[in-house]
Amino acid sequence: MIKLATFIVDKRNLVFLVIGISLAFSAVSRNWVEVENDLTAYLPATSETRKGLDVMDEQFTTFGSAKLMIANITFDRALEIADEITASDGVQRLEFDDSTDHYNNVSALYDITFNYPEDDDRCLGALNAITDRYAAYDTYLSTSLGNQLAEIIQSEVNVIMVIVAIIVVSVLTLTSQTYAEIPVLGLTFVSAMVLNMGTNFLLGKISFVSNSVTSILQLALSLDYAVILCNRFKEEHQTMPVREAAIIALSKGIPEIGASSLTTIGGLIAMLFMQFRLGPDMGICLIKAIFYALFSVFVFMPGLLVLFGPLMDKTQHRNFIPKIPFVGKFAYATRKVVPVIFLALVVVAYFFSGKCPYVYGYDTIVTPKLNEQQIAANMIKENFTSSNLVALVVPTGSYEKERAILDRLDSMEQVDHTMGMSNIAALDGYTLTDTLTPRQFAELADIDYELAQLVYTAYATEHAEYGKLVSGIANYGVPLIDIFLFVVDRVDEGYVTLSDEQTELLQGAAEQMRNAKLQLEGEDFDRMLIYLDLPESGDETYAFTDLIADVAQEQYPDGSIYVVGNSTNAYEFKKSFARDNVVVSLMSILIVLVVLLFTFKSVGMPLLLILVIEGSIFINFSVPVFTHVDLFFIAYLIVSSIQMGANIDYAIVIASRYTELQHEMEPKEAIIETMNFAFPTILTSGSILASAGFILGQISSEGTIVGIGQSLGRGTVISIILVMFALPQILLVGARVIEKTSFSVSGAIKHRETRARMVVDGMVRGEINGTVTGMLHGTVEGTAKLELLSGKAEEVDSHEE
C-alpha cells in the first residue's frame, strides 16, 4: 500500500492530466446516453405482457395520437375548430361530437390520430402545428409523443442537484476543520459524478429512474469515502509534511474505505437479483457510481490534498460540532429498557409494513408537485368520462371468432365498448369484415352488377379459389375490406376504370381500411381494443383482464392469447413484486451479513446490527399505512437495498469504536466516548443522504422518483434515530452475546524474533518490551517477539540503513 500510495501521490500531475482529459470526454459522451422512459421495457422477457408488447411492436402499426382539451369555448366554436383540425396536415382522424365524452363544462376534448406511426417525428411536427395554432386558447394536451417526460424530469433534477450541492457545502462547512478541504471534497465528488455519467453510454440504454437519481445517490452514498481520507490526511499531517501525510493517509485509507464500501455495494448487489429488470438497471448504475467514487478518492483526491495542503493549514477553524455526552449517558441509563421497547416496536412495525399500500400503476399516486402533463391529464379526467384501454391479441384468420369474442365482451357491464376489424362500421350498416356478394357490392359501390361480377371473378382467380367460379360467382362472398382494397389496387393499376366520384369514394374508404388493417390486423395476429369502465389498477381490474384472456381462449384453445395495456402492466408488476420482495430482502441481508462476519469476526455483532437496520426498514414502510399515501412498489425494492447497504455504515462506526474502547474503559465511559466519536460522521453522511431523499420526494413530479426519494429520506432519518438511541443500549446489553459468538480467522502468520535490530513494515501483534498491536512502520531496536499478520519484518545490520 505504501508503494502504491507513493506512486499515486508522486505522479499526481500525470493523474491530473488523465482525469482532465477523461472529464472533457465524459462531458461530451454523457449526451450519448440513451434513456428508456417506459417501465414496461423492464418487465421480465418471459412475462405474458412483455411477450404481448413485443408481438404488437412486430405485427401492428400504432399511429401517433393526442388528446387536446380546449376550455372556455362554445360548442359552435368547438365544431369549427374540429373542422379546422381535421383539415390540418398529418391528421388522419378526429373524434369529436356533442356527447359528454367530447364536450362538457364549456370545454371541448378532441381525440386526434395522425397519419404517421407514433415514433415518426412528423407526428410531433403536426401536433406542434395544431397546438401553436390554438395557443391563445386555454389548452391542455395529453400525449405520449415526444420526450416531454424526459425533459421535465431533467429540468427537475437540475434544480435538485443545485439544492443538494448547497446542502452538502453547508454540512461540510459545519463538520470540517478547515475551509480549504471543502473544494478538495467538491472536486472529488464532481469528478466521480461526471466520469460516471460519461460512461453510462457503455451500458447501452438506462432507465429514466437511473438517469435521474444515480448522480444524487452517488454523492450521498459515497460522501464518507472522501471524508475518511481527508480526516486521515489531517491526522497524519499533524506530525508529517504534506506529501508524506498524503502517502500514509492513502495507504491506510485504501483498506479502510474499501471495507466501508463493501456493505453499500453488497446492498446494491441484491438489486441485481430482481426479476423486474429496473432493479438490475439501477443496481448496475449505482455500483458503477460507487466504483468511480472510490477511483476518484483513491487516485484523484491524494493529489488534491497535496495541492491544497498548505491552504488547509491556513484556513483552519474551530470545530462546530459539539460533543454529545448526554446521548452516551442516556444509553447507559436505559440499557435494560430501550432494547425491550425496540424489539416490541420492530414486531409491530413488521406487522404493519406487511400492510403497506403498495400500488403498481400511477393512477392513484399523488405527487407533491404536478408537471404540465399531469395537470392536463387531471383536467381531462375531471371534465370528461374516460375509459381504461386494453388490447387483446389473438391468432389471425377468423373474423367470426373475433366477432364472437367482441359480442360477448360488449355484453359485460365492465366494458364500455370494443373495437376490432369485426365490428368497425363501414358503409350502409356493413362492418369491415361483413361478407358481400357481387350484387351487394355493386349496390354499395354504386357500380354495374356485370362489373362487380368481373371484379369477383378476378379476385377468385388471383386467390386460386376456382371452385367459386364453377359453383357460380353470384353466391361468392368476400369480406368487404378485402374486395374494396382489391378493387382499389386494380384501379390504381389501370385495370378498372371508374368515374371520378366513384374513384374518390373508393380511395377515401380504402385509406381508412388500410389504416385499420395496419392497426388491427397483422401477419400472424389480430388486435382488438377493449375500453373498460374500471380503474387502471386494482384487484377487480386484474381479475377482469384474466377473464378477457379466458373468453379469448375459448375461441382459440390452442393459440397464443395476449392481453396488453396499463392494467396488465400493473398486474405484471404486482406478480414480479411478490418474488422480488423476498429475493431482495434475503439477498441484501445475506450479503451484508457475510461482510460483517469477517469485519467483526463475530456472529452476534452482525445479527444485532442487521436487526437495527432491518427494524428501521420495517418502521419506514409502516408509515404509509398511517398516512394513507400509496407507494409505488419499486420504491420499496430500491430503498430497502440502499438502506440496508448504506445506513448500516452508521451502525458499523458505533460498533467498531465501542469494540475498541470496551477493553480500555468501563462500559459507561466507553459508550459515551463512542457516541462523541461517531456523531460527526453520522451527522455528515446521514444528513446529506436524508436531505437528498427528501428533496427528490418534494421537487420531482414523477411518481417512481417521488416514492424513492420520500422513502429514502424517511428511512435514513429513522436509521439515524435507531442507531443513535437504540443501538448503544443493544451493544451494552449484548456484549456477552457478541463475545461468546466471536471467532478467529487463521491465516499465514509469520513469526519474527530478534534481540538486535529489525525493520518492520506491516500489521503486527507481539511484544516490544511490552505489548504492541497495530500498523507499525519503523525500526525496532532491542528485544522483540512479533507475529506478523501482514507486511514484512527483516533483521538488519546495525550499520545498514
Side-chain angles (χ1 to χ4, degrees), residues 287-305:
I287 291 172
K288 185 167 72 72
I290 297 299
F291 278 121
Y292 271 108
L294 292 171
F295 171 80
S296 185
V297 169
F298 292 156
V299 178
F300 185 40
M301 189 175 176
L304 294 176
L305 289 172

Side-chain angles (χ1 to χ4, degrees), residues 298-601:
F298 292 156
V299 178
F300 185 40
M301 189 175 176
L304 294 176
L305 289 172
V306 174
L307 184 65
F308 283 84
L311 188 59
M312 291 172 66
D313 294 336
K314 298 176 182 178
T315 58
Q316 293 183 8
H317 60 77
R318 68 182 181 86
N319 191 354
F320 297 116
I321 303 299
K323 299 290 184 180
I324 53 169
F326 65 92
V327 175
K329 293 177 182 178
F330 171 79
Y332 188 77
T334 59
R335 64 190 183 281
K336 296 182 180 180
V337 177
V338 169
V340 177
I341 297 174
F342 169 74
L343 288 176
L345 182 61
V346 169
V347 171
V348 173
Y350 174 77
F351 172 78
F352 282 106
S353 64
K355 298 182 178 296
C356 184
Y358 298 115
V359 293
Y360 308 93
Y362 279 17
D363 52 328
T364 62
I365 294 179
V366 178
T367 58
K369 176 184 175 182
L370 296 178
N371 58 46
E372 293 181 6
Q373 284 187 328
Q374 292 167 327
I375 293 172
N378 289 343
M379 286 294 293
I380 293 172
K381 186 176 180 180
E382 290 173 6
N383 288 279
F384 300 96
T385 56
S386 59
S387 299
N388 174 20
L389 172 64
V390 297
L392 173 61
V393 179
V394 299
T396 192
S398 176
Y399 292 139
E400 291 76 15
K401 291 181 178 180
E402 293 178 27
R403 186 188 298 274
I405 293 171
L406 294 175
D407 287 345
R408 183 170 175 189
L409 291 175
D410 275 324
S411 67
M412 298 180 179
E413 61 179 8
Q414 295 93 338
V415 177
D416 181 76
H417 66 283
T418 63
M419 184 174 73
M421 292 293 292
S422 299
N423 68 354
I424 295 179
L427 300 171
D428 295 347
Y430 291 111
T431 65
L432 288 179
T433 60
D434 281 342
T435 300
L436 301 184
T437 62
R439 184 170 297 281
Q440 290 171 319
F441 177 71
E443 294 173 353
L444 181 64
D446 193 22
I447 60 176
D448 294 337
Y449 176 57
E450 291 76 10
L451 178 58
Q453 287 182 309
L454 288 174
V455 169
Y456 271 64
T457 300
Y459 182 91
T461 301
E462 182 169 301
H463 291 79
E465 295 184 352
Y466 303 111
K468 302 294 184 181
L469 299 176
V470 175
S471 60
I473 202 68
N475 296 319
Y476 183 23
V478 178
L480 182 152
I481 186 171
D482 293 338
I483 195 64
F484 254 80
L485 294 179
F486 177 79
V487 171
V488 172
D489 289 341
R490 301 293 82 75
V491 171
D492 292 340
E493 294 168 1
Y495 294 113
V496 177
T497 302
L498 301 175
S499 66
D500 292 342
E501 182 179 353
Q502 291 171 329
T503 300
E504 183 178 356
L505 173 65
L506 286 179
Q507 292 288 5
E511 181 181 3
Q512 296 297 324
M513 292 176 185
R514 288 194 182 103
N515 289 335
K517 286 178 73 70
L518 288 172
Q519 294 181 83
L520 302 175
E521 191 171 284
E523 182 177 349
D524 304 305
F525 291 90
D526 288 350
R527 177 166 62 176
M528 292 169 273
L529 306 181
I530 305 162
Y531 296 84
L532 306 179
D533 283 328
L534 292 171
E536 283 191 356
S537 58
D539 291 338
E540 183 183 3
T541 304
Y542 304 150
F544 193 75
T545 59
D546 286 337
L547 179 59
I548 293 174
D550 292 340
V551 170
Q553 205 72 61
E554 292 175 2
Q555 298 293 329
Y556 300 92
D558 300 321
S560 298
I561 305 296
Y562 304 105
V563 182
V564 182
N566 288 339
S567 293
T568 59
N569 297 341
Y571 196 11
E572 290 289 356
F573 291 157
K574 182 178 181 181
K575 293 175 183 176
S576 67
F577 179 62
R579 171 192 176 275
D580 290 343
N581 183 14
V582 176
V583 171
V584 169
S585 297
L586 290 179
M587 289 304 300
S588 61
I589 290 174
L590 289 174
I591 294 172
V592 171
L593 179 61
V594 170
V595 174
L596 295 182
L597 278 173
F598 289 96
T599 300
F600 290 99
K601 297 181 179 62

Side-chain angles (χ1 to χ4, degrees), residues 19 72 76 133 146 152-153 188 216 262 282 372 382 528 572-573 586 625 673 725:
I19 292 290
N72 304 314
D76 290 338
R133 183 174 184 178
I152 290 170
I153 292 175
T188 304
I216 298 169
L262 288 179
M282 194 167 181
E372 293 181 6
E382 290 173 6
M528 292 169 273
E572 290 289 356
F573 291 157
L586 290 179
V625 177
E673 179 60 30
F725 297 100

Side-chain angles (χ1 to χ4, degrees), residues 599-616:
T599 300
F600 290 99
K601 297 181 179 62
S602 167
V603 176
M605 180 68 85
L607 293 177
L608 293 178
L609 299 187
I610 288 175
L611 175 63
V612 172
I613 301 303
E614 193 65 35
S616 70

Side-chain angles (χ1 to χ4, degrees), residues 4 141 183 205 217 258 264 269 358 402 458 566 626 694 707 738:
L4 176 62
L141 178 67
K205 182 180 287 188
L217 294 181
T264 302
I269 287 175
Y358 298 115
E402 293 178 27
N566 288 339
F626 300 99
F694 284 129
I738 297 169

